[in-house]
Amino acid sequence: MVQDGARQVADRVRMGFGLRLSTMEPVTHGADQHARLWLAQAAGGGRYAVKLSGGGTPAGLVVTAYLAEQGVPGIAAPLPAADGRLSIDHDGRRLSVVPWVSDQRALDGPMTGAHWRAYGEVLAAVHAAPVTDELSRLLPAGGAAYPSIVARTRAMAARLRDPAPADLADPLVAELAGVWSAVADRLGALTREVERRAADQRGRPGGNVVCHGDPHLGNLLLGADGQVWLIDWDDAVLAPPECDLMFVLGGVLAFAPITPEQQRAVLAGYGRANVDPVRLAWFLAVRALDDVSDWTRQALDPDAEAADRGRAARIVRGLVSPVGLVTLADAAMRGLGAGATPLRRGDEEARG
């Protein structure tokens, strides 16, 4: 059944998309604080992801509609509304409807070798899609937000280095102050390297392509016969392929590391990949600073639920762990030589 809190959304879906929903179940996994997601069952059959987005732009919907039209595999195109738009307004937020393609997240596994290869094939097809004028207008440049990310990281470091008396009464503040203190040198080095190497990114060879921007295993669904679906395109950008490939080659999720064998399977599906280690390290560092500062902010939010704050704190601890993104990004930056050259797929396999 449709609960009272979702009934207005269901009514809006009926009016805007001509789709009558018989049930709506809230989906709670995901990191977007500005969105609500339901698994909806239509009265006439069929299941749909109904999403209410309060942040970002509709660019992700435009991208997925375009990629599906181009025949890119593993893309679930949004349903058009009665007026042709890909989303409609509901109380100042975007309401969209996308077919529900699978219940099986890659994070929950098991991923077969065919799934890993298909993951690479999807990324390759996305990166090969022509960049239209519309996408050039809509999509931001990958990494363009680095100045604000660096500023947030430094502000958080200053807050935790010298907590206000009121903050010290909060056990999580004291705990995270200790966490940040232990990695202060690494975070300081990463912020400086991100700033120092930012201008160099624009001058390096290779062009921008359509990138998902966040293609970790939490945004990958598994289908039958090795099929995969790449979902949640809210962070789509125009960027070098390394912006996406870092999730395979660099390692991003501390609790779900990708093994060398799995990397080889992805790259076998991806095909020729001339990976620039400087770009790879830079995107890793930007992501590391963004994640550690934002999850710390969520952990310290006094208005958030205790369970949400605890989960955010656990993620921060994972980010700075020996297998976490902060550690991996720091190692990647330290490993850069003055004459770093692109790594080809064969080089990656040898290193694996």
Side-chain angles (χ1 to χ4, degrees):
M1 62 178 296
V2 178
Q3 301 295 324
D4 288 342
R7 191 171 302 280
Q8 288 184 332
V9 173
D11 288 342
R12 193 75 179 96
V13 168
R14 177 176 54 79
M15 291 185 291
F17 293 90
L19 194 63
R20 292 182 179 273
L21 303 178
S22 57
T23 64
M24 289 182 67
E25 302 175 14
V27 179
T28 56
H29 57 71
D32 188 351
Q33 293 182 304
H34 305 290
R36 294 187 66 187
L37 179 66
W38 293 268
L39 165 55
Q41 177 82 38
R47 298 192 302 166
Y48 299 89
V50 176
K51 187 172 185 178
L52 198 57
S53 303
T57 72
L61 297 171
V62 175
V63 170
T64 50
Y66 168 70
L67 292 176
E69 184 180 279
Q70 291 290 305
V72 173
I75 305 297
L79 267 64
D83 60 5
R85 292 181 298 161
L86 299 177
S87 65
I88 60 176
D89 179 78
H90 178 65
D91 290 340
R93 294 192 283 179
R94 288 188 313 280
L95 181 60
S96 59
V97 179
V98 178
W100 187 274
V101 291
S102 173
D103 294 321
Q104 190 69 36
R105 293 196 308 159
L107 273 182
D108 302 326
M111 281 186 73
T112 65
H115 284 128
W116 286 107
R117 184 183 181 96
Y119 181 20
E121 290 171 350
V122 169
L123 289 177
V126 169
H127 295 168
V131 178
T132 65
D133 290 342
E134 181 181 26
L135 294 182
S136 295
R137 291 193 303 270
L138 283 177
L139 295 182
Y146 83 87
S148 62
I149 292 170
V150 165
R152 289 200 307 269
T153 304
R154 286 182 169 144
M156 185 61 70
R159 174 183 174 183
L160 292 174
R161 188 168 54 243
D162 187 21
D167 280 343
L168 289 174
D170 187 332
L172 270 183
V173 174
E175 176 188 348
L176 292 176
V179 169
W180 276 64
S181 176
V183 295
D185 290 344
R186 274 185 282 167
L187 291 175
L190 285 178
T191 54
R192 291 189 296 272
E193 284 297 292
V194 164
E195 290 182 312
R196 185 174 75 85
R197 294 182 181 273
D200 179 53
Q201 301 307 306
R202 293 187 291 273
R204 299 190 73 80
N208 290 339
V209 298
V210 176
C211 286
H212 180 280
D214 200 26
H216 57 70
L217 299 187
N219 286 329
L220 195 70
L221 301 179
L222 307 182
D225 301 322
Q227 185 178 20
V228 299
W229 301 87
L230 191 54
I231 62 169
D232 197 352
W233 285 77
D234 290 347
D235 294 320
V237 292
L238 290 180
E242 288 84 355
C243 181
D244 279 347
L245 291 176
M246 71 171 175
F247 289 83
V248 176
L249 301 176
V252 172
L253 300 181
F255 55 89
I258 296 178
T259 68
E261 180 182 4
Q262 292 163 348
Q263 288 179 354
R264 288 191 289 271
V266 177
L267 290 172
Y270 189 86
R272 183 175 177 83
N274 293 335
V275 179
D276 186 331
V278 177
R279 274 191 175 137
L280 189 71
W282 190 79
F283 278 111
L284 277 170
V286 172
R287 175 69 184 224
L289 296 178
D290 192 14
D291 277 4
V292 76
S293 61
D294 190 59
W295 284 111
T296 300
R297 175 191 61 79
Q298 294 183 47
L300 300 183
D301 182 358
D303 297 323
E305 297 289 338
D308 293 335
R309 297 185 66 196
R311 173 174 176 262
R314 289 193 297 274
I315 292 174
V316 172
R317 291 193 293 270
L319 287 166
V320 302
S321 72
V323 294
L325 182 54
V326 170
T327 304
L328 296 173
D330 181 60
M333 278 294 186
R334 291 177 185 274
L336 293 178
T341 56
L343 298 175
R344 291 173 175 80
R345 183 162 67 91
D347 301 324
E348 290 291 345
E349 293 179 352
R351 292 189 177 199

